[in-house]
């Protein structure tokens, strides 16, 4: 089921890209139409149906800044998501620093940066001698790889967090 839903999202994205509509999507629309449905396909309750919300929006993290989404297990944040609009350049270092700072400020190890076209996963708590974003990068996927590398994408699933697969993968 997850693969079929992810394929549907990829097809919708490719159709939007061909029509030239990517530039008209803001961050909120990107989240609603692509990013949150992707994480829903990965087993997260992105629609708030559970008693304790698994995915909550706009959490204060690091001063007065707000992370876009917090992914929670038993009410505790285990992963943050910093979303960007479809036309964003995820390789912009300021986006990575922003996402990492959110995680570091709240001692949340895993931080995801995504515009749906790509996903980058960082370890925000990794101790480094010098700050190098590349050393904090645990996983980087383009939407064209989501199906071929489904096992890597599945590391972000709710199921994988219960079995600690992302920690094991990052070692």
């Amino acid at each position: 089921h997850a693969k079929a839903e992810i394929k549907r999202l990829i097809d919708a994205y490719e159709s939007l890209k061909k029509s030239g509509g990517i530039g008209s999507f803001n961050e909120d629309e990107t989240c609603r139409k692509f990013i949150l449905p992707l994480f829903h396909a990965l087993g997260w309750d992105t629609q708030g149906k559970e008693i304790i919300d698994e995915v909550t929006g706009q959490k204060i993290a690091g001063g007065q800044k707000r992370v876009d989404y917090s992914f929670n297990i038993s009410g505790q944040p285990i992963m943050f998501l910093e979303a960007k609009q479809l036309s964003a350049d995820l390789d912009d270092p300021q986006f990575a620093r922003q996402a990492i700072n959110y995680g570091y400020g709240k001692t949340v190890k895993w931080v995801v940066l995504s515009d749906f076209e790509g996903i980058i996963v960082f370890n925000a708590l990794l101790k480094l001698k010098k700050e190098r974003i590349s050393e904090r990068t645990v996983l980087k996927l383009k939407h064209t790889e989501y199906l071929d590398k489904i096992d890597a994408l599945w590391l972000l699933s709710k199921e994988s967090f219960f079995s600690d697969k992302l920690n094991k993968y990052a070692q």
Side-chain angles (χ1 to χ4, degrees):
H1 173 70
K3 280 181 104 171
E5 182 59 19
I6 293 167
K7 181 172 180 357
R8 186 194 67 74
L9 290 167
I10 292 168
D11 291 346
Y13 172 79
E14 288 296 336
S15 177
L16 184 66
K17 188 175 175 180
K18 283 179 186 167
S19 73
I22 286 179
S24 66
F25 263 63
N26 63 27
E27 185 178 301
D28 185 55
E29 290 171 308
T30 301
C31 289
R32 282 187 295 110
K33 302 263 182 166
F34 292 101
I35 297 173
L36 289 177
L38 175 64
F39 280 91
H40 184 76
L42 295 174
W44 292 99
D45 176 18
T46 59
Q47 298 156 358
K49 293 179 182 173
E50 298 293 324
I51 294 170
I52 297 175
D53 287 340
E54 287 182 356
V55 181
T56 54
Q58 297 292 309
K59 287 276 189 193
I60 294 176
Q64 296 302 312
K65 305 281 185 184
R66 295 181 180 270
V67 68
D68 290 317
Y69 294 95
S70 176
F71 289 72
N72 312 294
I73 294 180
S74 300
Q76 297 299 312
I78 49 99
M79 177 174 68
F80 282 162
L81 168 67
E82 178 58 24
K84 297 297 176 194
Q85 65 190 47
L86 289 177
S87 59
D89 176 8
L90 289 190
D91 291 323
D92 184 333
Q94 83 177 27
F95 294 152
R97 281 192 294 275
Q98 177 188 22
I100 291 165
N101 286 339
Y102 287 150
Y104 185 81
K106 286 291 188 182
T107 61
V108 173
K109 184 175 187 177
W110 303 114
V111 181
V112 177
L113 177 63
S114 182
D115 63 354
F116 182 79
E117 185 176 75
I119 288 179
I120 306 174
V121 180
F122 301 102
N123 178 342
L125 303 181
L126 186 65
K127 303 282 187 226
L128 299 173
K129 291 181 182 175
K130 284 191 168 189
E131 183 56 40
R132 290 192 181 102
I133 292 169
S134 61
E135 291 180 28
R136 289 191 183 276
T137 304
V138 175
L139 180 65
K140 188 173 182 177
L141 295 171
K142 292 285 185 192
H143 72 286
T144 54
E145 300 174 301
Y146 291 172
L147 295 175
D148 292 339
K149 296 183 178 181
I150 191 71
D151 290 342
L153 182 62
W154 197 255
L155 293 169
L156 300 177
S157 72
K158 178 180 168 183
E159 174 187 295
S160 290
F161 274 92
F162 278 113
S163 54
D164 206 28
K165 289 184 181 177
L166 188 55
N167 275 319
K168 292 172 186 170
Y169 174 83
Q171 292 177 348

